[in-house]
Amino acid sequence: RSGLSVSAGSQPANAIAPEGASRVPFTTFTLTNNTGSVQTVTGVTVQRTGLGSDSTLAGVALIDASNNIQLGNSKTLNSNHQATVGDTFTINPGQSKMITVVGNMASNLDSYSGQIVSLQVVAVNTTSPV
């Protein structure tokens, strides 16, 4: 395999997310650099799925699981229920990086009672084959 590979990580347990909660983990994935050169990732596109409203999320972001550092600013979902999140980062040859997609919950969820939302990774933005 050449380029970057994406694999599912150990997934966070489903849970009820309280109003105003920050960095609620939704999904985890691992990027592995299978090349002999440093690879640059310029963002990851995530999409809201499930029977719920985009408005339940005040923003979504990426967390580098190795050091619990947020990669870039949180972003709101667009009209396609997607957001491209994460600042530019690199992955060295042979290195793997585990990333967690997190959501910041809206401060008032009263009108969203019973809704279930999920976030999934739909694209990794890089010039390398994925």
Side-chain angles (χ1 to χ4, degrees):
R1 298 185 289 188
S2 64
L4 287 175
S5 61
V6 181
S7 58
S10 178
Q11 297 305 307
N14 290 337
I16 294 174
E19 293 177 334
S22 296
R23 293 184 170 184
V24 175
F26 276 83
T27 191
T28 301
F29 64 99
T30 301
L31 294 173
T32 302
N33 181 350
N34 300 303
T35 73
S37 60
V38 173
Q39 297 299 307
T40 301
V41 176
T42 58
V44 174
T45 303
V46 297
Q47 181 171 317
R48 195 245 342 128
T49 61
L51 300 173
S53 171
D54 290 352
S55 300
T56 59
L57 296 164
V60 294
L62 297 182
I63 301 290
D64 181 334
S66 66
N67 56 18
N68 204 32
I69 299 290
Q70 184 169 314
L71 301 169
N73 296 324
S74 67
K75 303 281 180 71
T76 56
L77 298 169
N78 64 23
S79 60
N80 293 324
H81 318 290
Q82 296 180 344
T84 300
V85 291
D87 276 348
T88 298
F89 61 91
T90 59
I91 304 175
N92 292 320
Q95 180 186 19
S96 293
K97 184 179 284 281
M98 190 166 73
I99 306 289
T100 302
V101 177
V102 298
N104 299 321
M105 305 310 295
S107 60
N108 184 342
L109 296 173
D110 293 350
S111 59
Y112 306 109
S113 180
Q115 291 191 10
I116 299 172
V117 297
S118 300
L119 292 171
Q120 66 182 15
V121 174
V122 295
V124 176
N125 304 326
T126 180
T127 57
S128 177
V130 178

